Amino acid sequence: MAKAPAAAVARLWPALGEEPAFDWLRAPEIGSIMVRGRAGAVGAPFNLGEMTVTRCALQLSDGTVGHGYVQGRDKEKARRAALVDALMQTGAAGKIRTALLTPLEAEMAEARRTRAAKAASTKVDFFTMVRGENG
């Protein structure tokens, strides 16, 4: 949910039907977190910089708690992520997976394939010609 495009989540959301009742434990709020990296993915960690995130927590009427953390300033996407987190812990998990998560995964995989194909089309193969002088 955190990586899914907000527009795709919004487009698929109505297929889930009516939203369950919930109470906020933490209403959506915008803040920032420190992003850490590692040189070459194996070196010592370093602070890369800050990133804006939106987070929230909610509780369904049956007591199930859901949390949502998303990149950026999208309170609605964070709310939906928290609802999905909570609902995946209930009997509605199959419906959520079928109506929302599987289509999102498929769309994101297709976007990755398209991006990879576009990058591959710009690939340049370098080669060395052997000159007859070193014979």
Side-chain angles (χ1 to χ4, degrees):
M1 286 293 297
K3 290 184 177 183
V9 174
R11 182 175 36 79
L12 294 169
W13 193 256
L16 300 178
E18 189 174 336
E19 290 183 5
F22 67 86
D23 293 314
W24 288 115
L25 299 176
R26 179 185 306 262
E29 59 186 12
I30 298 166
S32 63
I33 61 170
M34 180 59 67
V35 178
R36 301 200 72 194
R38 290 181 181 268
V42 294
F46 64 93
N47 292 337
L48 184 64
E50 290 186 350
M51 178 177 82
T52 304
V53 295
T54 304
R55 70 178 181 176
C56 64
L58 53 79
Q59 185 174 28
L60 300 179
S61 57
D62 67 0
T64 306
V65 174
H67 303 277
Y69 280 77
V70 298
Q71 181 179 347
R73 305 173 64 85
D74 193 339
K75 292 181 178 182
E76 184 62 20
K77 185 179 174 191
R79 182 187 70 82
R80 288 177 174 158
L83 272 171
V84 168
D85 181 45
L87 291 170
M88 287 299 290
Q89 301 172 57
T90 70
K95 179 181 178 182
I96 300 294
R97 177 156 300 285
T98 302
L100 182 68
L101 298 179
T102 300
L104 282 174
E105 289 171 352
E107 287 181 26
M108 291 167 60
E110 181 58 32
R112 280 191 301 275
R113 281 191 293 275
T114 301
R115 190 171 48 249
K118 186 176 178 181
S121 72
T122 65
K123 181 179 177 185
V124 177
D125 289 319
F126 292 96
F127 60 95
T128 303
M129 292 182 58
V130 177
R131 296 172 65 177
E133 302 169 353
N134 296 341

